[in-house]
Amino acid sequence: MNDTIPQLAAFDEPSLDAAFATLAEEVCQTSATLNDVEAFRLQWLGRKQGRLKLVSDAWLKSAPAEARKPLGIRFNQLKQQIEAALEAPAVAAGPKAAAIDFTLPGTTHTPGIQHPLLKTMHEIVAVFHQLGYSTNLGPQVESDFYNFEALNFPPNHPARDTQDTLVIAEQQSRPSRDRLLMRTHTSPVQIRSMIAQEPPLRLVIPGKVHRNDAADATHSPIFHQVEGLCVDTNITFSDLKGTLDHAMKALFGASVKTRFFPSFFPFTEPSADVQISCIFCSGKGCRKCKHSGWIELLGCGMVDPAVFAAVDERRVELGKQPAYQADRITGFAFGMGVERIAMIQHGISDIGHFYSGDMRFLEQFA
Ligand code: PHE
């Protein structure tokens, strides 16, 4: 950059254009970055030594009368360019400004994704929403009454041993049905729902459950279940089979087969374990299905009349009409583990991956 302003040799328009273009170029080169706005201002607009003042002294004052106007117009344009550069430093300076390095990689935005467990849970719930079910939720800290007693697990019944329960401390002084514990399954929400609502009911109940299990590749003391409950007049075991067969096909593909194995739960009678044909070997037998061709996936059964009786007893205690007479009302229930289903869907071999927060694992579901 020239410190001094050269005298103008001629005052015709092309000469003026050329002279001002040189100055405009200088403005660009010295243009303000965010850090040196004040230095830039002084350099160009300073009252005594600012270059604009020097231009004015050197060119405007000595100009012949007829050149004043074209000179003035160009002078004002230059001034506007300088002021614009001051208002929006790097931007007004254009691509030549040092403030913007166009070779830098752009900012990447990585939007969050649903956790794979929640994704599977929502998928399961959506299958039942499409069948007209609605969602109910219940508390994780539950009383003995809802978690066990109303579900036909009497106190000290050996079936309680299958659900290693985490109990809340300091509950001994309470009646046994009021003692608090961490719910071991989502089934207590069946009871809460039936006490609150009259039939017909079609409900899915997703949620967290807790058991005093040691963590290993397939167990975690906290895990997730989706429960289902359908209660109405004339609900039969074939409704249960059709509903779950449809749900398994919706989750694992239309070619999946289901079979129902006799089982036991205190709150359903008859009870069954549902198995699907192994999705890894299509039923031929492999390591994943322990060479049986089948994978066990969930528990289910027809609601035990003792459960309806416990519900109605409680409804009456609360001043409500009984509504679950077992000669008129029937229903089915089922419960499935979300972790187990997600592990089979994605071929995950260790349940711990879901809780580790390891981005290398989680990013695979983006
Ligand atoms: N609550 C049972 C469990 O956690 C599963 C189940 C739900 C079985 C509903 C039958 C009906 O093992």
Side-chain angles (χ1 to χ4, degrees):
M1 185 179 73
N2 287 324
D3 280 350
T4 54
I5 306 294
Q7 283 301 320
L8 282 179
F11 290 90
D12 57 294
E13 297 223 359
S15 305
L16 291 181
D17 281 342
F20 275 95
T22 310
L23 288 176
E25 176 75 3
E26 270 182 36
V27 170
C28 274
Q29 273 165 15
T30 59
S31 190
T33 61
L34 282 175
N35 299 331
D36 64 4
V37 173
E38 183 53 18
F40 174 79
R41 197 190 64 75
L42 273 179
Q43 182 186 5
W44 285 94
L45 301 181
R47 275 191 195 287
K48 291 194 175 141
Q49 288 303 310
R51 287 182 73 68
L52 217 51
K53 166 85 164 48
L54 299 181
V55 169
S56 159
D57 289 348
W59 295 354
L60 277 179
K61 288 189 177 147
S62 59
E66 68 277 11
R68 288 254 165 91
K69 195 171 171 204
L71 248 174
I73 290 172
R74 286 165 179 76
F75 185 84
N76 281 333
Q77 283 169 348
L78 184 67
K79 193 171 174 195
Q80 278 167 11
Q81 184 192 350
I82 294 164
E83 282 164 353
L86 275 172
E87 262 167 41
V91 182
K96 291 192 180 110
I100 300 180
D101 182 347
F102 287 89
T103 65
L104 285 176
T107 316
T108 47
H109 296 277
T110 45
I113 55 148
Q114 229 173 29
H115 190 279
L117 264 183
L118 281 184
K119 200 169 153 219
T120 294
M121 190 147 105
H122 290 151
E123 267 170 41
I124 300 168
V125 166
V127 167
F128 290 98
H129 279 181
Q130 280 154 15
L131 295 175
Y133 285 56
S134 43
T135 300
N136 265 12
L137 301 173
Q140 290 177 54
V141 178
E142 193 46 285
S143 72
D144 187 281
F145 174 77
Y146 290 107
N147 198 83
F148 290 124
E149 220 178 293
L151 286 164
N152 201 28
F153 292 81
N156 305 314
H157 191 280
R160 293 188 176 207
D161 296 349
T162 64
Q163 313 223 344
D164 291 318
T165 310
L166 292 160
V167 299
I168 305 284
E170 314 285 350
Q171 301 286 303
Q172 294 84 342
S173 61
R174 295 184 161 199
S176 87
R177 56 151 53 184
D178 295 338
R179 292 185 193 164
L180 298 178
L181 45 84
M182 301 308 292
R183 71 175 176 194
T184 59
H185 50 177
T186 39
S187 303
V189 191
Q190 288 187 34
I191 306 298
R192 290 183 173 273
S193 304
M194 288 191 279
I195 289 172
Q197 295 167 242
E198 292 183 9
L201 292 185
R202 277 157 184 72
L203 297 173
V204 255
I205 302 152
K208 230 185 255 300
V209 301
H210 306 250
R211 289 190 196 175
N212 186 19
D213 279 335
D216 63 21
T218 55
H219 293 86
S220 157
I222 303 176
F223 60 104
H224 300 80
Q225 290 187 332
V226 175
E227 186 93 6
L229 178 66
C230 169
V231 180
D232 203 338
T233 51
N234 296 318
I235 300 291
T236 67
F237 198 86
S238 53
D239 295 319
L240 167 60
K241 286 186 80 173
T243 302
L244 290 180
D245 186 69
H246 165 80
M248 294 303 114
K249 286 180 162 65
L251 288 172
F252 293 103
S255 59
V256 143
K257 295 195 188 78
T258 52
R259 74 177 184 182
F260 290 70
F261 241 66
S263 184
F264 173 79
F265 301 100
F267 42 95
T268 48
E269 182 60 31
S271 304
D273 282 330
V274 183
Q275 305 176 344
I276 60 165
S277 52
C278 179
I279 60 163
F280 300 105
C281 63
S282 313
K284 287 187 201 66
C286 66
R287 232 164 52 99
K288 296 249 169 133
C289 60
K290 301 199 185 94
H291 302 283
S292 70
W294 296 91
I295 294 179
E296 197 174 300
L297 222 50
L298 68 149
C300 65
M302 302 305 292
V303 178
D304 194 302
V307 171
F308 288 144
V311 165
D312 266 350
E313 194 180 312
R314 185 76 186 129
R315 283 177 63 91
V316 171
E317 275 172 28
L318 293 170
K320 298 187 180 211
Q321 289 294 321
Y324 290 87
Q325 296 85 357
D327 54 351
R328 195 171 63 85
I329 299 292
T330 53
F332 64 76
F334 55 85
M336 57 190 101
V338 179
E339 277 79 352
R340 187 163 161 72
I341 290 180
M343 286 169 80
I344 293 168
Q345 276 181 328
H346 302 295
I348 296 164
S349 53
D350 190 333
I351 197 171
H353 287 308
F354 289 128
Y355 318 115
S356 69
D358 187 336
M359 294 300 283
R360 293 168 303 176
F361 171 76
L362 296 172
E363 275 168 0
Q364 297 179 63
F365 302 92

